[in-house]
Amino acid sequence: METATALQTKTVAIIGNPNVGKSSIFNQLTGLNQKIGNYPGVTVDKTVGFLRIGEKEINLIDLPGTYSLYPKSEDEVIAHRVLNGLGQEKPDFALVILDACNLERSLLLGTQVMDLGIPMAFVVNMKDLAIKKGIQIKTFELYKLLGVPLVLTDARNNEGIDAIRQLMATEKFESPKPLLDSYAFADKALVEEVIARFGFINPYQAFQMLVFGEFDKTLPIADKQWLKEKSLVFGFDRKRQQVRETEARYVKIASILKKSVDRVKIESSNVTISLDNVFLNPVFGFVVFLGIMLLIFQAIFAWAAFPMDLIDVGFAGLSGWIYENLPPGVLTDLLAEGIVPGIGGVVIFIPQIAMLFGFLAILEDTGYLSRVVFLMDRLMRPFGLHGKSVVPLISGMACAIPGIMAARNISNSKERLITILVTPWMSCSARLPVYIILIGLTVPDTLWMGISFQALGLLAMYLLGVLFTLLGALALKFILKTKEKSYLLTELPIYRLPRWKTVLLTMFNKSKIFVLEAGKVILSISIVLWVLASYGPSGKMQAIEDEKTTILQTTPEAEWSSVEELYASKKLEASFIGIMGKAIEPAIRPLGYDWKIGIALLTSFAAREVFVGTIATIYSIGGDVENELTIREKLAKEVHSDTGEKVFDKATGFSLMVFYAFAMQCMSTLAVVYRETKSWKWPILQTVVMTGIAYLAAFITYQIFS
Amino acid sequence: MTAAELSLQQSSIIESIRESDISINFLELGILPGKEIKLLKKAPFGGPMAFLIEENIIALRQQEAIMINLKS
């Protein structure tokens, strides 16, 4: 029997310095064919792209941007593990991206990869800039000296990308001779023992193993111990040998570049330095930063409202359509009241998340984000944070999840932990619908000097979040202990125009991660909630049903709908969730909440935005769908059955907002914190402390306003 | 003299990097002995400093800048 020609699958690892255009090349090659996963035991995302060239299937592994293969963060550990095939299959080839304007520095990493003995090729990117700067690379000369094939590219303008494809198709990778003799930095006997133990093919792999040994958390304890002992026996001083290795490497690189690169002095105006005169100016720099932040806020709050309204209306319409066109029954109810609103509750956040990440991608891509680190570091430090904490904290305003994930860039573990722990206090977009509904209910819609009171109310909630984030960080600064020194040593890359493809891809990928990670939780909670609200202890539910039937027989048809609504609410009270809400009512009474709000609090522990859905469910379930009022109008009419007073008065509304500002109510965030800290200690602590403070603050708020 | 003592727009040549746990971080960013270094910007209130080293702009805090010894 004949089979189709089997596809040949090859794996290529792609590595390079930060800001070298690596992701540009990766995106040009793979487009939307990317998959984001995890490496076991570490928090680094594993991004793999797929492309097909003729009969060849290529899995492109995008390794994190790094300046060298020295253990500094998990990024380097991952690069080391992938390139040496530790815990995973070794890639067939390596593609190292070099910066044509910065060959010396990028070859530090490049030659380290050479010495590992993996078949490889170099991509010399940003040739356009190099030409402008008068850097002339003699490609053939460089190839002869390094023994590694070279491709020149200008990835931003899509130049040379076909040459990379061609190179991968024809597998023109070569295993070069090592640049350095590893035995100069570690005892030969030691290196040979490491090679034997780990089954390596060359001495530099063994040297790297010795260097990474104590740093690699995923390495089995026995191996770690063994490496430590052997290092001691042979007197191998990791840090010293690394410095020696680097210095030796730079000497060799300098001599190679002397023969292969000509420099013509071109006097050109330096755009980056001129722009920095504005962006890093002690006064204008901050003005520009504030302006950009305002623009982002405007986008998230105002511009995102339009698509969000459309989504809202669309899903409400869909629910109505389902009721009209499907036969009545449990499944229809589940679909119209559980699943559709649940999906709607997830989808509605996509505009905001996409916009925030779009802006962040633009800021990062243009080189501005590093300037934010430069400007903000001094202000962050007194709070135990790093200039790099600004990015996670700002991201936290859209969603704590990407913010916490972005904290990986902070190399100091204490600063990173503080950032992770306080980021959920930044006002995330999930709180926004809660605030909007409650502010609409409790703050008058009047203007003060042309500014709406409601807008001021929202601003106040955001400032409250920022204030407590900083205070929380300050408290943690004194509580957490560390021996690590904090440092700032970062490049401010040149300014460039953003690559729109990269920006759009980031927006797409981040929205996808949100829908898949948080969406699952929110949707399942919506379904569980619907079941809990629709069913109860069977005897009781049946009794209410019977009572309703009896009453209906004696009432005129015109009053049926009000009877229906009354019994719907009675049924809800008798349902499982009604029972749970009532059970916690004594505890939340001092905060000004009744059992219905109690139910919303319970479901919000899955995710804050569930509040709106729950409240909507609680007040609309069982009622006539034709008769649907908007949630806000409905809530405004809600009164306490005993006193006849409004449920959502100022005191309760403010108290609820304060509770939502502080409480840890997001299972997805907790899951991410666990993933990032590799310990349940921190998410549990976060839940207890944040919710405790929320309870106290809400209590005080209620007492003040009631 | 160290890089922390440079005044704005002043240039010098790097003589050595003081040995520390983060010496390797200087080296891998291309902050090497023999290179020209120029102070471009200082963030207010004793914040980070931005240096031009060859054609790269590197931001350091003062505590890191004092680890760069300059030729007198």
Side-chain angles (χ1 to χ4, degrees), chain A residues 69-84:
Chain A
L69 290 181
Y70 296 123
K72 287 203 315 286
S73 70
E74 287 182 338
D75 287 350
E76 286 85 10
V77 174
I78 279 307
H80 157 74
R81 290 189 69 86
V82 169
L83 292 173
N84 285 315

Side-chain angles (χ1 to χ4, degrees), chain A residues 227-244:
Chain A
L227 284 166
K228 204 172 162 186
E229 276 164 24
K230 287 291 162 191
S231 297
L232 266 175
V233 171
F234 285 92
F236 177 78
D237 178 350
R238 173 173 79 88
K239 286 197 171 131
R240 204 181 124 58
Q241 295 307 335
Q242 264 175 255
V243 172
R244 284 189 62 215

Side-chain angles (χ1 to χ4, degrees), chain A residues 87-128:
Chain A
Q88 55 226 304
E89 213 165 307
K90 192 170 164 174
D92 298 294
F93 311 110
L95 198 61
V96 184
I97 318 295
L98 306 177
D99 177 352
C101 308
N102 255 316
L103 275 177
E104 183 181 50
R105 194 174 68 187
S106 31
L107 276 174
L108 176 70
L109 175 70
T111 59
Q112 284 189 311
V113 177
M114 274 169 62
D115 290 3
L116 288 175
I118 182 168
M120 64 184 296
F122 283 132
V123 172
V124 183
N125 194 28
M126 308 210 259
K127 61 166 183 175
D128 52 323

